């Protein structure tokens, strides 16, 4: 049997319309469903405030719980906001969840989004990239079981797995992609680029090419692309589930100056680089996607849509059984689908 062309992931921003306790419970259920469907990696996004589209402030306890409820799916963040973390403490969290999960953990890091989060946690927003770079180096050393912080100190439990290929860095420019390559990190590309009128994949293909050109590690480079994917019976059915969330998120981007005001739903969906509708329509659209041919990981998400739970489960089923296989993905294992 030939190897799959890419790993298939599912990312949740842990969003919902009701109490967060119910939102968390349903997000955990989606991890179980994704595990049973054969998704390779389950990802969560960290948000300290809900403004930017998510409700999970502390991802590692969430992933520890998901580890206990799943059997084979790998567990990661896209992203952990690194400048707002103590990198040694973060490495300890990673080590604990990796041990509990039987070695299924990866980690994606980045500088996050808004200044409110930085102010609340006492970090300098203007120095976020500098802090990300220094913290990233310290985190990777800690994950290699090197002495960190003070002579003689290493993270416990000791990491018996090689984390070289498990650390991802989110970037938002060609320069950032080259920096990630120089650091030996895997490349994470967001679901969409903001502040550009060009299509996301046109912009990000240049970033991916910069990453590949700068790569000088002995192992093969890895590129993960996050994409807004919501299959349904048809576009009308899909829009009924995602349009309100898309328009609400679009208004946030208008308020921040990243999107122009007064655009149609179709234009905002284009700016979110959305793949939605019947699975055949989504497959046809992905066949024109410019970054997917060089990607090693396709990370699907519903954000900024906030579909009903049953619709979300059905969308995961369609991604795993119709969309991804048509693009060259094969599950390494399934448990027979959702019960």
């Amino acid at each position: 049997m030939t190897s799959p062309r890419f790993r298939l992931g599912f990312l949740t921003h842990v969003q919902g319309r009701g109490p967060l306790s119910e939102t968390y419970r349903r997000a955990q259920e989606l991890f179980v469903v994704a595990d049973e469907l054969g998704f390779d990696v389950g990802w969560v996004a960290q948000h300290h405030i809900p403004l930017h589209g998510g409700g999970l402030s502390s991802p590692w306890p969430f992933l520890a719980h998901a580890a206990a409820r799943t059997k084979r799916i790998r567990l990661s963040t896209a992203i952990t906001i690194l400048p707002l973390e103590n990198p040694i403490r973060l490495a300890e969290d990673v080590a604990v969840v990796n041990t509990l999960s039987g070695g299924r953990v990866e980690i994606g890091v980045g500088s996050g989004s808004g200044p409110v989060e930085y102010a609340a946690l006492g970090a300098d927003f203007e120095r976020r990239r500098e802090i990300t770079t220094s913290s990233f180096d310290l985190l990777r050393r800690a994950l290699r079981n090197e002495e960190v912080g003070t002579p003689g100190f290493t993270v416990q439990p000791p990491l018996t797995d090689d984390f070289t290929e498990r650390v991802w860095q989110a970037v938002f420019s060609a320069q950032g992609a080259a920096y990630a390559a120089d650091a030996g990190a895997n490349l994470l590309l967001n679901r969409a680029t903001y502040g550009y009128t060009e299509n996301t994949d046109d912009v990000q293909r240049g970033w991916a090419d910069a990453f590949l050109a700068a790569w000088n590690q002995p192992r093969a480079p890895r590129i993960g692309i996050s994409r807004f994917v919501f299959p349904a019976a048809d576009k009308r059915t899909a829009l009924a589930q995602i349009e309100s969330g898309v328009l609400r998120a679009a208004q946030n981007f208008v308020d921040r100056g990243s999107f122009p005001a007064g655009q149609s739903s179709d234009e905002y969906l284009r700016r979110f680089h959305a793949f939605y509708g019947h699975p055949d329509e989504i497959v046809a659209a992905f066949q024109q996607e410019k970054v997917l041919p060089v990607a090693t990981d396709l990370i699907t998400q519903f954000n900024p849509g906030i579909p009903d739970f049953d619709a979300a489960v059905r969308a995961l089923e369609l991604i795993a059984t119709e969309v991804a296989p048509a693009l060259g993905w094969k599950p390494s294992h399934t448990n027979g689908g959702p019960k």
Side-chain angles (χ1 to χ4, degrees):
M1 187 176 78
T2 59
S3 298
R5 195 160 63 83
F6 55 83
R7 295 193 309 176
L8 181 63
F10 167 67
L11 166 65
T12 175
H13 289 245
V14 193
Q15 297 168 290
R17 299 185 181 92
L20 274 179
S21 58
E22 180 65 11
T23 299
Y24 283 16
R25 185 187 70 78
R26 290 188 168 183
Q28 288 284 336
E29 292 298 329
L30 291 180
F31 264 72
V32 174
V33 169
D35 185 45
E36 292 173 341
L37 286 167
F39 279 75
D40 298 294
V41 191
W43 304 75
V44 291
Q46 181 179 37
H47 295 270
H48 289 287
I49 57 175
L51 174 65
H52 302 305
L56 184 63
S57 58
S58 188
W60 294 98
F62 181 96
L63 290 177
H65 191 66
R69 300 202 59 203
T70 56
K71 296 179 179 179
R72 50 153 300 279
I73 194 168
R74 301 185 69 77
L75 308 164
S76 190
T77 56
I79 58 170
T80 297
I81 305 172
L82 189 53
L84 305 184
E85 303 280 344
N86 179 308
I88 298 174
R89 273 290 300 117
L90 177 58
E92 291 178 326
D93 285 345
V94 172
V96 168
V97 180
N98 189 63
T99 299
L100 290 171
S101 68
R104 289 189 278 144
V105 164
E106 303 186 11
I107 180 172
V109 301
S111 57
S113 49
V116 175
E117 296 165 301
Y118 280 74
L121 294 170
D124 187 346
F125 182 71
E126 299 303 321
R127 295 183 56 239
R128 62 192 182 281
R129 290 181 177 83
E130 174 189 344
I131 299 170
T132 298
T133 299
S134 60
S135 294
F136 191 45
D137 178 66
L138 186 54
L139 173 67
R140 297 186 72 211
R141 287 170 50 208
L143 292 175
R144 291 196 297 263
N145 290 319
E146 295 180 14
E147 292 185 0
V148 289
T150 192
F153 180 84
T154 57
V155 165
Q156 63 170 336
L159 285 156
T160 58
D161 309 299
D162 182 5
F163 258 76
T164 303
E165 298 187 23
R166 299 203 208 172
V167 182
W168 299 79
Q169 186 166 14
V171 307
F172 301 94
S173 68
Q175 183 182 38
Y179 284 151
D182 287 341
N186 303 320
L187 182 69
L188 265 183
L189 296 176
N190 196 19
R191 70 180 173 211
T193 50
Y194 309 115
Y196 294 86
T197 57
E198 299 91 345
N199 288 337
T200 286
D201 57 335
D202 288 325
V203 176
Q204 288 185 344
R205 181 56 195 255
W207 301 354
D209 290 342
F211 173 79
L212 293 172
W215 186 259
N216 60 4
Q217 304 295 316
R219 64 181 179 87
R222 298 177 67 185
I223 298 174
I225 59 170
S226 184
R227 293 294 182 252
F228 175 11
V229 182
F230 192 79
D234 49 44
K235 281 189 178 292
R236 182 177 179 181
T237 303
L239 278 173
Q241 288 291 329
I242 64 176
E243 189 171 28
S244 62
V246 166
L247 292 178
R248 185 164 48 250
Q251 185 58 52
N252 285 337
F253 281 103
V254 169
D255 294 342
R256 291 155 60 186
S258 299
F259 280 2
Q263 304 298 300
S264 66
S265 295
D266 285 345
E267 174 59 13
Y268 286 134
L269 283 160
R270 183 191 73 82
R271 287 176 178 267
F272 280 123
H273 200 45
F275 297 81
Y276 68 101
H278 189 276
D280 290 346
E281 294 176 294
I282 292 175
V283 170
F286 262 120
Q287 288 171 341
Q288 306 302 314
E289 157 71 50
K290 293 181 174 64
V291 190
L292 184 60
V294 296
T296 60
D297 287 69
L298 173 61
I299 306 165
T300 61
Q301 62 173 299
F302 306 145
N303 179 278
I306 309 177
D308 296 337
F309 178 73
D310 289 344
V313 170
R314 180 56 179 156
L316 285 180
E317 292 172 347
L318 290 171
I319 290 169
T321 60
E322 297 190 30
V323 174
L327 297 172
W329 175 76
K330 295 180 180 179
S332 58
H333 172 76
T334 65
N335 300 328
K339 306 296 190 288

